């Protein structure tokens, strides 16, 4: 079996002006190819980059890139392109993570090129999409041109993302480390308190979903005394590995792929990348399957742990924007909030610090003007901060406000009490 590798310039010659180019995301972001493509600004024009969440250094903030026809259309906004997405040459598509493959399949986002990063071919010629199958699998099937960055440092991950090298239009060899992020370094006293509060809701034999960030990692640190937990999640990081090693995570009681961790992408440090490499205990799957609420609900006791930017006193969750500034995306929060609520014994949880790093309350009378509602007040259940846990489900608006004030930061409760009075008590007094 003889495999031919192109140099980057030759491979990227397949990208023509006016193309829509899918860019593989998370730890699998093909930074080498992407930066080489951006360097062609002015030579090729009117290129739309469609991506979910990219990581690592991306050389976009240059006049030739933003003034010569490179436009980013992001389906989930990450920090390295946040300013670009919020500028005049970028935008954001609000969409559930589970439905992104359908955008490609149905032609609403017709792809011309897909750029992916893969593990090297095995002796049979099969590569894998490595740490990120999510919507990349569908992108490789729908794009007529697929350019693969083949990286020997990309783990070989079992599941849906197994692709024969003959399906790639061009392959470029690039030996470079994957981007790493260690959420455990950001776990502070507040996160530990939240982690303990959330862990108190998790029963033995539950099936876990963790969102991105410090709080999910803090929760995992509190689960070493649990038994027979399962994992069905859109993503996971290093925090799961010790629980597998201790026998806490067994996946025995799951209904969907029992005995296996089911995920859509992996993001963390080399520790977790080494853990998933050639590991049949982990299946990385198409996000249309992983995040399908009908699939999620089949598992028992699904505990979905996600976070928020702010929540108003009626339970509306903003998790993707700061006012009109697009900070992240809808992602899979609603997929799993709904799936968990439909699961037998399931618990959808929003866990967040009561205040921001600058001391601003995350529990607010009203969301900021322009803020997006990711989880509606009809879908919200448990809210956890460092000051406790409340369950808003089945509660009326006034009851919700009282409960949320009880877990707000003490420095902000007086303002929230006044807002409560203005909205409810003053109104009733006027009616009387």
């Amino acid at each position: 079996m003889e495999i031919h590798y192109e140099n980057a310039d030759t491979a990227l010659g397949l990208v023509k002006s006016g193309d829509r180019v899918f860019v593989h995301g998370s730890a699998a972001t093909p930074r080498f190819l992407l930066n080489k493509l951006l360097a062609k600004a002015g030579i090729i024009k009117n290129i739309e980059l469609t991506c979910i969440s990219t990581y690592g250094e991306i050389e976009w903030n240059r006049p030739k890139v933003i003034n010569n026809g490179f436009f980013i259309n992001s389906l989930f906004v990450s920090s390295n392109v946040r300013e670009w997405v919020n500028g005049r040459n970028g935008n954001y598509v609000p969409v559930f993570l589970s439905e992104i493959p359908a955008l490609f399949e149905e032609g609403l986002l017709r792809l011309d090129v897909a750029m992916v990063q893969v593990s090297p071919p095995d002796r049979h010629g099969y590569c894998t999409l490595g740490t990120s199958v999510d919507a990349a699998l569908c992108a490789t099937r729908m794009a007529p041109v697929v350019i693969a960055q083949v990286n020997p440092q990309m783990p070989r991950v079992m599941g849906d993302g197994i692709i024969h090298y003959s399906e790639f239009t061009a392959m470029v060899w690039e030996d470079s480390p994957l981007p790493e992020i260690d959420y455990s370094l950001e776990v502070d006293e507040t996160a530990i308190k939240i982690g303990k509060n959330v862990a108190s809701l998790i029963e033995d034999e539950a099936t876990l979903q963790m969102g991105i960030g410090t709080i999910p990692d803090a929760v995992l640190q509190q689960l070493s005394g649990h038994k027979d937990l399962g994992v069905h999640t859109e993503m996971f990081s290093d925090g799961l590995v010790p629980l597998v090693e201790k026998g806490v995570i067994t996946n025995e009681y799951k209904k969907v792929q029992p005995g296996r961790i089911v995920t859509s992408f992996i993001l963390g440090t080399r520790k977790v990348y080494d853990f998933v490499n050639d590991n049949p205990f982990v299946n990385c799957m198409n996000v249309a399957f992983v995040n399908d609420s009908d699939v999620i609900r089949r598992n028992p006791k699904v505990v979905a742990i996600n976070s928020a930017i702010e929540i108003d006193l009626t339970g509306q969750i903003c998790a993707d924007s700061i006012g009109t500034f697009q900070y992240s995306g809808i992602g899979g929060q609603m997929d799993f909030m709904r799936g968990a609520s439909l699961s037998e014994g399931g618990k959808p949880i929003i866990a967040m610090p009561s205040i921001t790093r600058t001391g601003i309350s995350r529990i607010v009378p009203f969301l900021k003007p322009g803020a997006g509602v990711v989880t509606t007040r009809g879908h919200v259940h448990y809210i956890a901060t460092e000051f406790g846990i409340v369950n808003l489900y089945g509660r009326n608006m006034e009851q919700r406000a009282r409960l949320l004030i009880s877990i707000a930061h003490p420095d902000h409760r007086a303002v929230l009490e006044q807002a409560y009075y203005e909205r409810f008590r003053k109104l009733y007094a006027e009616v009387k």
Side-chain angles (χ1 to χ4, degrees):
M1 182 177 63
E2 185 175 347
I3 297 175
H4 176 69
Y5 293 97
E6 307 278 2
N7 64 51
D9 289 335
T10 301
L12 293 173
L14 296 166
V15 182
K16 307 299 183 186
S17 293
D19 279 351
R20 176 180 285 131
V21 180
F22 172 83
V23 180
H24 205 176
S26 300
T29 304
R31 290 174 293 163
F32 175 72
L33 283 180
L34 180 54
N35 285 326
K36 286 282 190 180
L37 181 63
L38 294 175
K40 292 168 67 71
I43 300 171
I44 53 175
K45 299 180 180 181
N46 300 321
I47 301 295
E48 179 184 304
L49 301 178
T50 298
C51 54
I52 298 176
S53 182
T54 55
Y55 278 80
E57 184 178 354
I58 296 175
E59 300 167 8
W60 67 268
N61 197 10
R62 294 176 289 149
K64 281 191 175 182
V65 173
I66 58 179
N67 294 327
N68 283 277
F70 269 81
F71 183 90
I72 185 167
N73 200 28
S74 185
L75 303 166
F76 189 96
V77 183
S78 48
S79 60
N80 60 355
V81 295
R82 194 167 286 142
E83 296 296 332
W84 190 6
V85 169
N86 284 279
R88 64 185 178 87
N89 289 311
N91 219 303
Y92 161 70
V93 179
V95 62
F96 296 146
L97 194 56
S98 60
E99 296 182 355
I100 292 175
L103 296 182
F104 303 152
E105 292 169 346
E106 295 172 10
L108 293 172
L109 284 177
R110 179 185 54 80
L111 300 177
D112 300 297
V113 179
M115 288 199 314
V116 295
Q117 185 171 194
V118 299
S119 59
D122 64 11
R123 62 192 180 92
H124 302 292
Y126 287 95
C127 306
T128 78
L129 289 168
T131 56
S132 187
V133 171
D134 48 60
L137 177 64
C138 180
T140 61
R141 291 173 174 168
M142 300 308 299
V145 173
V146 182
I147 305 171
Q149 177 177 309
V150 182
N151 187 355
Q153 297 193 50
M154 172 63 78
R156 181 176 177 79
V157 185
M158 303 296 99
D160 285 342
I162 299 174
I163 303 176
H164 196 267
Y165 82 92
S166 61
E167 296 184 46
F168 300 132
T169 314
M171 300 170 68
V172 177
W173 184 270
E174 168 62 17
D175 187 343
S176 58
L178 302 185
E180 297 185 35
I181 183 168
D182 189 349
Y183 294 113
S184 67
L185 297 177
E186 300 176 11
V187 174
D188 57 12
E189 183 179 349
T190 296
I192 291 171
K193 289 179 180 178
I194 298 170
K196 289 179 178 178
N197 286 339
V198 173
S200 70
L201 293 174
I202 299 174
E203 303 174 46
D204 291 343
E205 303 173 12
T207 303
L208 304 181
Q209 177 263 333
M210 296 76 58
I212 297 173
T214 304
I215 299 303
D217 207 77
V219 175
L220 293 173
Q221 292 179 17
Q222 306 301 320
L223 298 179
S224 59
H226 282 64
K227 297 179 181 178
D228 290 320
L229 297 178
V231 177
H232 183 111
T233 182
E234 71 186 44
M235 71 84 65
F236 74 84
S237 190
D238 296 58
L240 277 185
V241 179
L243 295 179
V244 175
E245 294 172 343
K246 292 175 182 177
V248 173
I249 292 174
T250 63
N251 296 296
E252 287 188 15
Y253 290 89
K254 288 170 54 192
K255 301 299 184 185
V256 178
Q257 295 197 9
R260 299 286 186 274
I261 290 174
V262 172
T263 189
S264 179
F265 67 97
I266 301 108
L267 178 63
T269 71
R270 193 71 231 178
K271 179 179 179 180
V272 74
Y273 302 151
D274 289 341
F275 170 75
V276 300
N277 185 43
D278 259 333
N279 188 346
F281 193 62
V282 179
N283 272 4
C284 201
M285 312 291 289
N286 186 338
V287 75
F289 169 81
V290 176
N291 282 38
D292 185 335
S293 59
D294 284 339
V295 172
I296 295 165
R297 71 182 297 182
R298 294 179 209 160
N299 288 313
K301 301 180 183 178
V302 174
V303 178
I305 307 164
N306 291 277
S307 194
I309 292 174
E310 60 181 2
I311 175 173
D312 75 8
L313 287 178
T314 70
Q316 294 187 110
I317 303 291
C318 173
D320 70 341
S321 64
I322 302 173
T324 58
F325 184 83
Q326 198 60 47
Y327 188 82
S328 57
I330 291 174
Q333 181 170 122
M334 266 304 302
D335 294 331
F336 276 93
M337 290 291 285
R338 187 60 176 158
S341 70
L342 296 172
S343 161
E344 184 176 353
K347 296 172 182 175
I349 304 169
I350 295 292
M352 62 181 190
S354 63
I355 55 175
T356 68
R357 291 178 181 177
T358 57
I360 299 171
S361 181
R362 292 180 182 269
I363 298 175
V364 295
F366 305 100
L367 299 181
K368 291 180 180 63
V373 175
V374 171
T375 295
T376 76
R377 55 195 180 195
H379 291 97
V380 71
H381 285 241
Y382 292 93
I383 307 294
T385 73
E386 69 270 31
F387 296 105
I389 306 165
V390 294
N391 188 357
L392 306 185
Y393 188 68
R395 306 288 184 148
N396 65 34
M397 307 276 266
E398 186 175 354
Q399 291 168 334
R400 288 168 176 232
R402 297 300 311 167
L403 288 170
L404 287 168
I405 292 170
S406 74
I407 60 169
H409 194 283
D411 291 350
H412 294 279
R413 289 181 189 173
V415 172
L416 294 171
E417 289 278 3
Q418 180 63 30
Y420 165 82
Y421 174 79
E422 293 288 336
R423 183 160 187 169
F424 298 106
R425 290 297 156 190
K426 185 177 180 181
L427 172 65
Y428 298 158
E430 291 175 351
V431 171
K432 291 180 181 178

